[in-house]
Structure formats: C-alpha cells, structure tokens
Amino acid sequence: MGSRLETDFLIVGAGIAGLRAAIELAGAGRVLVVTKEQLGESNTNYAQGGIAVALGGEEDVELHLDDTTRAGDGLVNKTAAAILVEEGPLRVEELLEWGTRFDREHGELMLTREGAHSRSRILHANGDATGAEIGRSLLQHARSIPNITLAEWRTCEELITDGDTVIGLVLVTRDGERQTVSARAVLLASGGAGQVYSDTTNPAVATGDGIAMAWRAGSEIADMEFYQFHPTALSLPGVPRFLLSEALRGEGAWLRNSRQERFMERYHLLLELAPRDIVARAITREGIGASPGDTLPVYLDMRQVTGLNLNQRFPGISSFLREHGLELGRDLIPVRPAAHYLMGGVKTDVHGRTSLKRLYAAGEVACTGVHGANRLASNSLLEGLVFGARAAAEMREETSFSARMEALPEHTLPEYTPVRRTSTTSPQPSPHTPPVADLAASIQHTMWVKAGLLRDRQGLEGAAEDLRDIAAAIPRTNTRPAIELCSLHAVATLIVRSALAREESRGAHYRNDFPQRDDVTFQKHSVVSGDGRVQFVEE
Ligand code: SIN
C-alpha cells in the first residue's frame, strides 16, 4: 500500500491551463499541481508562433470570432468561441501584469499573422518561443503563492470514483511508489496526445493520459476524429519532426513541391495562409509519388522574403536548422505534416465541467467544441488561459459548500486494470509479450498509416483490428511506460471509433470514401460514452 495525500484542489498538468487554474484557485484552498516530468515540460513549452488575441476593441473581437468559426468548418461551439475571444484580452492583460515579456517594437506589442486569420493579431515572445515565455511567467507567479504546491515526476494512473463522483486519483512517483490523492475537485489539464502518431510535433509526455483516465472512469469523450496535423514539421531522416511555425508563412514563406512549383494556388485562395487542415492535405497530396509508398519532397521557401532579419525573428528555428546544415533565407527547407493538436477530448461545458461530478477539464485535454473541426492557429494558448481560469472559478464555486474532505478508505486503492473499456474481451498477455516500447511504436505506426490525414473505412477497420491485437499484449504493470502505453491505446481506440462513425469529410477529418461535408447528418459532435458507443449530438 502506497502513501495517501489530501488536498482541496488537484490539478493534473502544469502547462498553461493547469498553472492558470492553480493561480485562480489558490485563494480558495490548498492546490496541488502534479506533472509527469520536470516543470516546464509540456506542449505549452514548445508553442512557437504565439497567442492570438483581439486587443483592438469590439470589432476586432468580432473578427476573431468569425475567423475562429470559419476555420472550424461548421462545428465550432459558438458560445465557447465567443467566450474565448471576449475573455481573451483580459487574460492576456493579466499575463502582462504577471511579467510575460511579449516582443515589442518601439514599446508597442508586435503582432504577426498566421493561417486563416483575417488580420495580424498574434503576440509572440523571444521571436519563436512564445509558449516557453508564458509558461515561465505563470510558473514564477504560481511559485510566489504559498497555497500552491507543485509536484514533479508524478504519472497519473487512474481516477478514483464514488459512483459518478470523482474523489481523487492514484499516481505513481518516479520511484515507482503508488500514492492516492483525495481532493474536493480534480482538474485535468494534462494536454494533448500527439504521441499516438509516429510523426508529431509534440514532446514525449503528450500521451493523452487525462483523456484515457477520464474515459476509463466513465466520462464522455467528444470529437476525437479531429486531430490537427501541423502542415510544416521539419522532414529530415532521423531528425525529430521539429515544428516550423506557421508564423514563417505569416512572414512570407512559400510552399514548393518537388518540381519547385508554388502549388497552394491550386488548393485555396489564401494560398500558404489557408486553414491548417487544407494546407496539411495539400502538402500530403503534393508529396505522393508515382508508385505506392513513394514520397516526394515538399519545401518551405523563405528565399524571397526581404526586409526581415530571419535569424532575429526566428532564433529558435534558425538555430535548430543550422544544426542540420540549413539556413532559412538560403535553403529550401523540407517539410511534412505531423500530428500537432487534438480538437477532441474530455467533453466539457464552458465551465470545464465534465459528465462526472467534481471532475473538470481545461486546455487541450478538454473538448468544449471551441475549435470545431479545425483549430485556428495560435488559439490554443488562449484556450488554456481562458478555460483554465473558468474551470477554476467553477471548481471554487461548486466546492464552496462541500468543504468536508471525503475520506478515502484503504480498500479504494483500485486494482490496476489498464485496458478496461478499450477492448471487448479480457486480454490475457502471452508469455512472449513484446516490449512496451515496441507496442507503443506499433500503435503510432498503425495510427499514422491507417488513421492519419487521409482515411477510409478499410484503413480504419484495419487500425481497429491492430488495436485489438495490441490490447491483448499490454502488460498489467504500472510503470510509467506501461501507463502511457495504455493511454495511447485508449486515445487511438477513441480516434478510430469516432473516425469510422463520421462518414463525411470536415476540417481535420478527411475520409477518401466520403469526401464531402454532410451537414444534414453530421453537423454534430461525436460523443463516445464510457461503454465505447459513439453517438452524434447537437451542441
Ligand atoms: C505554430 O507556431 O505554427 C503553432 C501555433 C499553433 O499551433 O497554433
């Protein structure tokens, strides 16, 4: 039996949503923030381009709402999107007060533009390290508040429920000790799941643990078929899919195919600044070679950009490229899409409430429907701030009458049952089970090939079959790699089931066998319930 902790508010994840929520909650009780690695290691830290915000008054806010809605391809939850753009400026003002240093020119905040934005409204920091700067300032602020405890190297294993109420969770420390934490309310702010695909811009920690835990506990999960693939990750053999920010195209970069033609005019009027899903599919199509499996290179070209010091404007990107012998203003940079951001997640209302009592979610792990089928560039950091603060306000409100801490009896430390609800059979690992890393790689490969940018029934059914086979081999241990493997398996299962059910193409979800958007049947959100059934529901 491991140790037992108690807190008022438990937050899983120390990215932008988790830290913003912690700051909001600190006046109402003890806040424990747990994170899987060292503080700072989250998707937030790797966000390059910036944070979109309408600082120019009412008309600007309206335009931001229009752009967000249009990019989301008919599926944006309008209430959530209105909240995002209206509350965004206030949340960004707070960041400035707490010491976030956005880039300025002659004292004025600098603004850039990215895909599908009708004007320049994206703040950036240190050129191309916006998330890291916001994370730094939020962390510094959170550290100055005595009620907040930040705990590193904790892998969350399972939520603990009492009926349909979440009363805490089980986590595993770096030393392998299992701990139970009881709390008056739990916030999932655990970020995305890019590691479910072999090609991703996300760090290794992005394994979808929050979504998997919530699903296993019976929470509804929504819109999982909508995985955003960033169009331009670096494509060099043996080199990670390093993000090449959309801001490069915002500052004038072009895309060229293997014949060095600028091709985006064949796909969208906005050319390189078309919505992300359209650019990503265009690059994929231009990269298809003559025979099956053949790929052709596609390039980002900044050689024509003048009047901008590229090394100064994009210091992080320039220095990474230089390590690989490439210069932004001199060379064609080989690119390809990579999994970047999950629009779906734990279904919440605009207050972060999930379908389980006392369980909340905010940021990438959550699905308010704010991004619809395709997120507008640089809206994700804003989402974390706005909905992190809102979820925290709701947690404070809803728990203010229930100050009594639920005692967790000894026997509630649950048995570890990792693949519960991800398979219809009860898997029995064979004595020749492959290593966890190989199983994770199989999931990633299957998802990339069969449930990636371009999908069809045959491929998705093949992926479902692969996932059933892999489920049978998942070990019943609770090491961090094994827990993450279960998370990847659950997330992959949710994506495949939802993608099979949506027989149309919309936003980031493209079905070769159903290439049209079908508003009559599918202008709805997919919801997977605890038992694994997929339903489509109106907003
Ligand atoms: C980028 O810099 O292109 C990423 C920003 C985002 O994902 O919105």
Side-chain angles (χ1 to χ4, degrees):
M1 168 58 76
S3 57
R4 296 151 59 84
L5 306 171
E6 286 186 356
T7 186
D8 294 314
F9 303 106
L10 174 59
I11 298 178
V12 180
I16 190 167
L19 290 175
R20 181 61 191 82
I23 291 165
E24 193 75 23
L25 281 166
R30 295 161 299 162
V31 183
L32 174 63
V33 181
V34 295
T35 183
K36 202 157 60 171
E37 285 197 1
Q38 73 273 21
L39 287 159
E41 186 60 5
S42 68
N43 260 347
T44 297
N45 187 46
Y46 295 87
Q48 294 178 350
I51 180 164
V53 63
L55 294 174
E58 217 170 287
E59 190 199 337
D60 201 13
V61 168
E62 275 301 310
L63 276 177
H64 191 186
L65 180 60
D66 289 350
D67 291 348
T68 299
T69 309
R70 207 170 309 113
D73 209 3
L75 214 59
V76 165
N77 176 316
K78 295 192 186 56
T79 311
I83 288 169
L84 178 80
V85 297
E86 283 164 15
E87 295 183 10
L90 170 68
R91 297 292 164 230
V92 168
E93 293 292 342
E94 282 171 348
L95 282 186
L96 291 167
E97 273 167 40
W98 297 337
T100 307
R101 295 187 287 259
F102 290 115
D103 293 334
R104 293 176 183 264
E105 196 171 42
H106 312 301
E108 295 295 315
L109 289 167
M110 290 171 82
L111 298 171
T112 191
R113 193 165 164 198
E114 291 180 3
H117 284 271
S118 56
R119 57 167 64 175
S120 297
R121 63 164 74 89
I122 294 154
L123 299 173
H124 44 88
N126 298 323
D128 53 12
T130 313
E133 169 58 13
I134 294 176
R136 180 203 63 76
S137 60
L138 281 176
L139 194 54
Q140 190 178 45
H141 191 54
R143 278 192 165 125
S144 71
I145 302 175
N147 252 0
I148 300 177
T149 304
L150 301 158
E152 299 176 308
W153 301 102
R154 305 291 198 280
T155 302
C156 293
E157 176 191 299
E158 213 66 87
L159 292 166
I160 304 174
T161 51
D162 178 7
D164 61 356
T165 304
V166 170
I167 54 173
L169 60 69
V170 183
L171 53 78
V172 181
T173 67
R174 187 157 44 166
D175 306 330
E177 188 200 353
R178 282 180 99 203
Q179 293 179 334
T180 56
V181 187
S182 57
R184 288 159 61 195
V186 176
L187 173 68
L188 298 175
S190 46
Q195 290 296 328
V196 78
Y197 288 101
S198 54
D199 286 42
T200 181
T201 60
N202 290 187
V205 289
T207 52
D209 305 342
I211 295 170
M213 281 195 302
W215 188 37
R216 288 196 293 265
S219 183
E220 290 180 340
I221 310 292
D223 288 349
M224 290 294 286
E225 63 275 37
F226 298 116
Y227 215 111
Q228 181 168 80
F229 295 85
H230 196 288
T232 56
L234 182 62
S235 176
L236 287 178
V239 176
R241 296 281 164 258
F242 182 77
L243 180 64
L244 297 170
S245 175
E246 196 149 321
L248 295 167
R249 280 173 282 132
E251 301 288 0
W254 291 345
L255 288 164
R256 294 190 183 277
N257 62 19
S258 59
R259 295 182 297 281
Q260 302 219 6
E261 295 160 351
R262 195 178 170 198
F263 57 82
M264 274 310 297
E265 64 196 26
R266 293 204 295 278
Y267 295 91
H268 201 277
L269 278 175
L270 289 173
L271 307 173
E272 282 83 2
L273 290 180
R276 217 169 246 190
D277 56 324
I278 291 167
V279 182
R281 277 194 297 275
I283 292 176
T284 302
R285 292 205 167 101
E286 295 292 322
I288 294 173
S291 33
D294 251 17
T295 52
L296 301 170
V298 174
Y299 303 102
L300 200 64
D301 185 5
M302 292 203 93
R303 294 172 305 179
Q304 73 289 349
V305 176
T306 52
L308 185 67
N309 182 332
L310 293 172
N311 292 333
Q312 215 168 47
R313 174 66 182 86
F314 298 109
I317 294 173
S318 301
S319 119
F320 190 87
L321 290 178
R322 207 166 302 121
E323 281 169 32
H324 298 283
L326 295 167
E327 285 287 342
L328 269 181
R330 182 193 71 195
D331 299 309
L332 288 172
I333 313 294
V335 293
R336 59 187 294 181
H340 184 61
Y341 181 91
L342 179 57
M343 272 75 71
V346 182
K347 187 175 185 308
T348 70
D349 65 10
V350 293
H351 303 286
R353 287 185 292 219
T354 70
S355 58
L356 296 177
K357 293 191 191 108
R358 299 211 218 158
L359 179 68
Y360 302 77
E364 189 173 348
V365 67
C367 178
T368 55
V370 69
H371 307 301
N374 176 51
R375 176 174 64 80
L376 184 68
S378 285
N379 265 357
S380 55
L381 290 174
L382 194 68
E383 173 194 24
L385 278 186
V386 168
F387 290 100
R390 286 180 75 85
E394 190 64 21
M395 288 163 80
R396 215 179 40 209
E397 185 73 15
E398 284 195 349
T399 53
S400 60
F401 301 111
S402 63
R404 186 179 61 85
M405 182 72 64
E406 300 285 340
L408 277 180
E410 289 289 318
H411 66 265
T412 56
L413 185 63
E415 186 198 342
Y416 186 56
T417 50
V419 285
R420 196 169 75 223
R421 292 205 183 97
T422 62
S423 165
T424 46
T425 57
S426 179
Q428 289 306 320
S430 88
H432 310 295
T433 301
V436 165
D438 291 0
L439 293 169
S442 300
I443 293 176
Q444 291 163 339
H445 177 73
T446 284
M447 291 301 287
W448 185 257
V449 173
K450 300 176 181 171
L453 270 108
L454 306 176
R455 306 158 171 184
D456 58 28
R457 170 162 295 280
Q458 199 189 358
L460 290 166
E461 284 177 348
E465 206 176 306
D466 294 350
L467 290 170
R468 276 191 292 274
D469 293 344
I470 292 167
I474 292 179
R476 288 167 187 265
T477 54
N478 57 354
T479 59
R480 175 176 160 187
I483 291 170
E484 290 181 332
L485 175 64
C486 292
S487 300
L488 293 178
H489 189 273
V491 170
T493 303
L494 286 159
I495 292 173
V496 168
R497 284 188 191 173
S498 309
L500 265 169
R502 185 174 288 279
E503 294 184 329
E504 65 152 358
S505 290
R506 179 189 296 274
H509 170 72
Y510 191 89
R511 290 275 304 249
N512 284 324
D513 45 354
F514 295 97
Q516 303 305 324
R517 176 170 141 177
D518 173 0
D519 280 351
V520 175
T521 317
F522 289 112
Q523 196 164 33
K524 293 177 182 164
H525 298 273
S526 67
V527 177
V528 188
S529 43
D531 63 11
R533 276 178 314 127
V534 185
Q535 287 174 300
F536 286 91
V537 300
E538 310 267 349
E539 240 168 52

